[in-house]
Amino acid sequence: PILLKYRFKKHYRHESLDTSLTRSRVAGEARALLRCLRSGVNVPGIRMVDAADGVLGIEWIEGKSVRKLLPGGAEEEEEELENEQENLDEEEDPLREYDISVDTLMSLIGIELAKMHLADVIHGDLTTSNMMLRHPTSFTSLELNTPTELVLIDFGLSYQSSLIEDKAVDLYVLERAFASTHPDSEPMFAKVLTAYGERIGPKEWPAVKRRLDDVRLRGRKRSMVG
């Protein structure tokens, strides 16, 4: 099966401008996915591209978003309450069926982000909703020591850049997403950064880390000013 992403027409924009923007963004997302695929980043495969009509066909990923698998991140709270008794075990440890720990999951996230940044692709909208764990029943690779793999999705706001600033901002956006969605997430994100630093290497990591600290400081100042 495939997933079709369709960019609907924005009627508040001039028709020719809307057509041009739609074509550009669909083509841009396809290019980012292709660049990631060629660099060994786990992203959905491309099945078809129709930039003129704003349609992108990508591989269907059988699994769940990382947001649903981490504490505090369930996306359908009311539905969970209705099924609380039926799914009690899964809610206590939703990663059980994927046979990995939270620490391993954080390492997988850090590794994929580093691979993406080494390919000079900036995601632009990193959240735990834009990451999926492939279900073990649909994962057949024997190259990894884990029964699943992490897949980065939704590259609609992505772009190409080799700038340390852009990579640091990408990480900061994810850090803020962790903080706002998952309680007590500091240790989890620290493990993401550890795996990221190990994979991106000693040549780039110190510079990215310093810039991330700068971005954090700017973010705190903006919060104080309001």
Side-chain angles (χ1 to χ4, degrees), residues 7 18-31 51-52 156:
R7 286 186 176 270
D18 184 66
T19 299
S20 176
L21 287 174
T22 296
R23 186 190 302 268
S24 174
R25 288 173 180 173
V26 170
E29 182 169 2
R31 283 194 297 269

Side-chain angles (χ1 to χ4, degrees), residues 16 18 23 34 42-43 67 76 81 88 90-91 99 134 137 181 185 204 212:
S16 60
D18 184 66
R23 186 190 302 268
L34 185 59
N42 291 332
V43 298
R67 178 175 179 175
E76 299 293 341
L81 289 174
L88 183 59
E90 286 76 10
E91 289 179 8
D99 196 26
R134 197 184 292 273
T137 57
T181 308
S185 61
E204 283 204 38
L212 176 58

Side-chain angles (χ1 to χ4, degrees), residues 19-190:
T19 299
S20 176
L21 287 174
T22 296
R23 186 190 302 268
S24 174
R25 288 173 180 173
V26 170
E29 182 169 2
R31 283 194 297 269
L33 287 171
L34 185 59
R35 188 177 183 89
C36 285
L37 288 166
R38 288 174 173 171
S39 300
V41 186
N42 291 332
V43 298
I46 300 174
R47 298 296 181 257
M48 60 86 68
V49 180
D50 187 344
D53 287 335
V55 181
L56 177 65
I58 59 176
E59 172 193 4
W60 176 271
I61 305 298
E62 191 66 41
K64 291 183 179 179
S65 71
V66 171
R67 178 175 179 175
K68 286 185 176 181
L69 295 170
L70 292 179
E75 296 174 324
E76 299 293 341
E77 294 183 1
E78 293 183 1
E79 181 179 339
E80 283 194 345
L81 289 174
E82 293 175 0
N83 300 319
E84 183 174 357
Q85 294 302 321
E86 181 180 351
N87 299 318
L88 183 59
D89 290 340
E90 286 76 10
E91 289 179 8
E92 289 178 351
D93 186 8
L95 285 173
R96 182 182 303 169
E97 64 177 306
Y98 291 84
D99 196 26
I100 65 171
S101 65
V102 172
D103 286 354
T104 300
L105 175 56
M106 295 304 105
S107 294
L108 292 178
I109 293 173
I111 290 169
E112 292 309 312
L113 295 183
K115 288 158 60 178
M116 180 183 70
H117 283 171
L118 285 170
D120 290 337
V121 174
I122 307 301
H123 188 280
D125 188 25
L126 283 175
T127 69
T128 51
S129 294
N130 287 336
M131 304 171 180
M132 293 191 67
L133 265 188
R134 197 184 292 273
H135 197 276
T137 57
S138 65
F139 181 63
T140 57
S141 175
L142 299 177
E143 297 179 3
L144 298 177
N145 295 323
T146 58
T148 182
E149 69 177 2
L150 183 106
V151 182
L152 301 177
I153 64 172
D154 198 356
F155 282 73
L157 297 178
S158 64
Y159 58 97
Q160 185 176 339
S161 173
S162 61
L163 295 178
I164 296 298
E165 170 80 9
D166 291 337
K167 296 175 183 180
V169 170
D170 225 17
L171 293 175
Y172 179 69
V173 169
L174 179 59
E175 183 176 39
R176 297 300 300 165
F178 261 89
S180 64
T181 308
H182 307 287
D184 303 319
S185 61
E186 291 87 353
M188 290 193 293
F189 192 73

